[in-house]
Structure formats: structure tokens, C-alpha cells
Amino acid sequence: MSGSPPPSGGFVRRVGLFQATAINMSQMCGIGPFVTIPLMVAAFGGPQAVIGFVAGAVLALCDGLVWAELGAAMPGSGGSYVYLRQAFQYRTGRLMPFLFVWTAMLFIPLIMSTGVVGFVQYLGYLAPDLGRTPGDLIGLGVIALVVLLLWRGIEHIARITAVMWTVMIASVLLVIVAAATDFSPHRAFTYPAHAFDLTSNHFWLGFAAGLTIGIYDYLGYNTTAYMGAEIKDPGRILPRSILFSILGIMAIYLLLQIGTLGVLDWQRMTDPKDIASTSVASAVLEETWGKGAADTVTVLILITAFASVFTGLLGGSRVPYDAARDRVFFRPYEKLHPKHRFPMLGLATMGVITAVGFLIGRHTDLATLIQLLTTVMVIVQALAQIIGLSVLRKRQPTLRRPYRMWLYPLPSVIAFAGWCVIYAYADKNSPGRHPIEWSLAWLVLGCVAFLIWARLEKVWPFGEREISEEYLAAAPVPDGEPAGA
């Protein structure tokens, strides 16, 4: 395998199965469960909150099978951009891939900004007197450091990611083991009256909120799909990395949730004056092994949060590259670093938006920020991509599919229903914030931007539709050779 940049200027396939799974798991876990366990308990109003993580896992698995089939068949850089471009080109030209890139440039950095908000939140456990301004400056410094570390070749990043994955596993295992040493089944499995009353509107509102929080915690299972042009043997490794990471994180989350509920009274997690509502993992360690152990694990959690932002921007920065190269986004985004072969402008832009999202998130509650970012991505990415899978099966039946969805179309139907529930209940779970209205406004603005761009580029609807079915004739790319050039 050559370690030098390819002469033709494309990406190089250097990421193997372990590294790909580590990238996904680091992005999925991160700070997520450590800050959302109290939110999940508050949504359900008791220890039955474990339902939210189970529901999120089911949705992630079903949606992950969509990503697995599409990613294995079309392993280019950009993930959903590639799949939507292929599926919807027959009727709407480049509209759908343009809208995806338009929304991805917003929702991917917003996800990263929640990780930085969680980082500063847990830092407050180590520094209780940390004020608003110092916290803001530290968060911005973290984002700048992430961008600096990503400003290098993928082979170095893969090694960094493996180290961060090890730290992530250590931090969650320590919390799980600590919880097991002082676990109370009575505390974990004693539920309030009417906790499972399926006729209650309160239960279903809690379920919808819990599903939203749950899928937020699993987001990242698709990170390697954005890096399809840098994955070795993508037809085999991409699907496995997605499924292995979801199953691994599901086990971790259930052990974390149940273990935490067996150590701390759930009412503590809903009390804003209690440290358990903001730094629940630290509270578990302090309750079981003492303050010194809590401080140590809090440091590991901070590293885990950093790793999540790191891998998220790593995958997300590849999204505008393929679009710009295919004239579906602004041309400067197609330029790669002359030595290290990574998309410079995509990384820089998402770094800036992450910083802005972090500052906004510091002045709103985390649950509202999660609702906003999920509604933005549901229509253009989640629902459209599920439809796109069926469209491609009909339009391109001879497309090489190294992996085909199990039990098709059942997982697609379940995933579609789950995303619809999240979207339909968004306004009810964020009163006064109007996430549905904001998502629709962003979508309309994207359509206007597309029409302006299409007029300038003289493409559909101001020109002929251009049908490109390059993956029908594409041959597999050997490891170490340039991809996407």
C-alpha cells in the first residue's frame, strides 16, 4: 500500500474494519449518553426511560441497514449526497443532492456543537466556579484544536481515532463497573404509577421525546459512509462497521442507563440544582468510588467528548467535496489539500458553524437544540434516503450491491415511521421553539438558493436533466489506489 498521495489527486483507501468501527463508535458515544440520561429520565418521568434507548436502537438499526446497502453499493465521499444524487436525478435533476448539502452544512456542525456544549458542561464538575465567558472561550478553543488536528492526512487521523476509541471504551466501562458495585435493583426497577399507561397522551409525548433523544445518541453510525472513498474493501467493511457499531453502542447505553438508575434516585436527575442533572456519570462515580475517582473518569469523559467532535467533523467535512466536484455546490469546496488530500474549505466551514452553534447552544437548553437539529435533517436526509433506496432498486436493478438489506422492505418501513414520529412531535416537545417551522423555513430557503444556482449553472429546471449512472459501470477500486478522482 502506498503511503504517498495519489498522483491523480483523489482520496486513498486506507481505513480498515477496526478503524472504521472505531470512528463510528467514537462519534456515536462521545458525550451523548453522559448528558442525555437525565433528559431521557425527565422525558419519561421515571426509570422507564430505558424504553427511549431501546426505541432509539431499533430506529438506528433499521435506518443503519438503509445506509449499509447504499454505502456498500456506492462508496463515494459524501454519503447521502451520492445516494440522493443517484436516486432522484431522473425527475428533479440535482435538487435533492443540493438540498442535502445545504442542510448538512447546518445539521452536522449542530450535532458537533452539542458535543462541545456537553464538554463544557462536564468541565463544570471539575471547575464548579467556571463562569459563562471562560466556558465559552474553552469551548471555542476545543473546536479550534479539533480543526488543527484534522488538518493532516487520513493515515495519521486513523491512528489518533484508534487511541480516542480506547479512551471512550475505558470511560464508559468505568462508569458501568462503578454502577455495578453499588447497584440497587429496587431503585432501578421501581416505576411511578401509570408509567406504562399506553392510553395516556403523557406516555406517548414522553416516548416521542425519548425517541428523539435516543436517536440523537446513536447518530454517528453512518460516519464511515461519508468516507466511503477512503474505506478499504467498502462493500464488506462499510456494512459491518455500521452494524457492529450500533450493536456495540446499544449494549453500552443500556448498561449505562440501567446502572445509573440503580445508583442514583431518578428524581435527582430532574433537579436542576443537583449535579446529577448535568454531570450524571461524575455523580455516579462520586457516589460509588469517591470524589477522586469521579474526577479521573470526568477527565476521560472530556476526552471522549473531544473524540466525538473530532470524528464528526472528520466525516462531515467530506460532504461538500463530492457535491462541488460534480457541480452541485460551490466550486471552491472541491479543492483538496495539496499534500494531505483532505477537503480544506469543507473542514474550515464546518468548524466555524460548529463554533456558532456552540455559542447558541450555551444560551438555550440542550433538549431544544437536539429537537432543532433532528427536524432539520429528517426530511431531506432520513426520509428522502429511505425513499431513494426503493427508487434505486427499481431504476438501477443491475447496480452491484455487495450487501442487500435484510427483510426488505420491513426495516425501511420501520425507519420511515420512526422518523415521522420524531418530526410530528417536535413542536409539542419544544413548546415556543417551533423546530418544525424553522426546518421548513430552512428547506424553503434552500429551494430558493437552488433555483438561483440552477439559473447560473443552466441546469434543470433551466436546462436539460443530466443522468449519470457511473456506479453501474464502476469497477472496484484496489486498496491504496486513489478513489473519487
Side-chain angles (χ1 to χ4, degrees), residues 216-246:
Y216 161 79
D217 282 330
Y218 285 97
L219 289 178
Y221 55 85
N222 50 16
T223 300
T224 47
Y226 290 114
M227 303 169 57
E230 297 163 272
I231 303 293
K232 298 176 183 177
D233 191 6
R236 181 179 64 91
I237 288 179
L238 254 176
R240 293 184 181 188
S241 70
I242 291 171
L243 296 177
F244 290 171
S245 58
I246 293 173

Side-chain angles (χ1 to χ4, degrees), residues 335-378:
K335 185 177 181 181
L336 295 176
H337 190 280
K339 178 180 179 182
H340 298 305
R341 319 309 303 168
F342 68 88
M344 296 182 293
L345 189 55
L347 176 59
T349 302
M350 288 198 173
V352 171
I353 298 175
T354 299
V356 174
F358 162 72
L359 293 176
I360 294 173
R362 289 274 286 168
H363 297 276
T364 63
D365 61 282
L366 188 60
T368 297
L369 192 58
I370 291 172
Q371 292 281 358
L372 288 171
L373 71 89
T374 48
T375 51
V376 167
M377 65 174 280
V378 164

